[in-house]
Amino acid sequence: DVFNYYKGLINLRKLHPAFKMISQAQIEANINFLEGTPENTLGFIISNNANGDNWKNILIVYNANKEYVSIQIPFENWYLAVDDEEAGVKPRRLIDSGKVDVAGISMCLLYSE
């Protein structure tokens, strides 16, 4: 399971140029941090089809807590690609509620087109 999870993360990075920005200007223009996240969490959005990516926005949340946290996210049709169980480029499910639950000691990645 761990092997397949890492394989999915590696494939995700290979296929998405948003994770390969090389200049400070690109990073400053395309990454915005979520405000008001719970303690021990970090969330940010890579936006504007960064670096020519086909995903319009990519939202990433890291949760360092031992329990689930619920994060308010911008209202949009987000597709979950990575959570605590599986990683890859295919959508696992649609999240359109304005919030996402992130398991303890894990991360999640959502995208919009």
Side-chain angles (χ1 to χ4, degrees):
D1 290 342
V2 173
F3 175 80
N4 287 330
Y5 190 88
Y6 286 131
K7 184 177 174 182
L9 290 176
I10 291 167
N11 191 39
L12 177 71
R13 186 174 187 285
K14 283 181 180 180
L15 294 175
H16 289 280
F19 300 113
K20 300 174 188 173
M21 290 184 277
I22 58 171
S23 73
Q24 180 177 343
Q26 280 183 310
I27 293 167
E28 289 175 352
N30 295 300
I31 295 181
N32 294 296
F33 288 88
L34 298 177
E35 295 183 17
T37 58
E39 189 174 348
N40 301 318
T41 63
L42 173 71
F44 59 94
I45 298 176
I46 304 171
S47 56
N48 307 318
N49 297 95
N51 206 22
D53 204 295
N54 64 331
W55 287 350
K56 179 181 175 189
N57 297 307
I58 301 169
L59 188 149
I60 301 169
V61 178
Y62 295 100
N63 178 12
N65 296 292
K66 291 182 179 179
E67 61 280 337
Y68 271 84
V69 294
S70 185
I71 304 286
Q72 293 298 124
I73 58 175
F75 282 99
E76 197 164 337
N77 285 331
W78 293 100
Y79 297 94
L80 180 71
V82 178
D83 63 9
D84 62 318
E85 296 178 0
E86 192 173 327
V89 295
K90 295 181 181 177
R92 301 199 56 222
R93 69 178 180 272
L94 175 67
I95 296 180
D96 60 357
S97 64
K99 71 173 189 155
V100 63
D101 295 325
V102 185
I105 314 294
S106 73
M107 59 85 67
C108 75
L109 182 146
L110 302 97
Y111 68 91
S112 66
E113 298 179 308

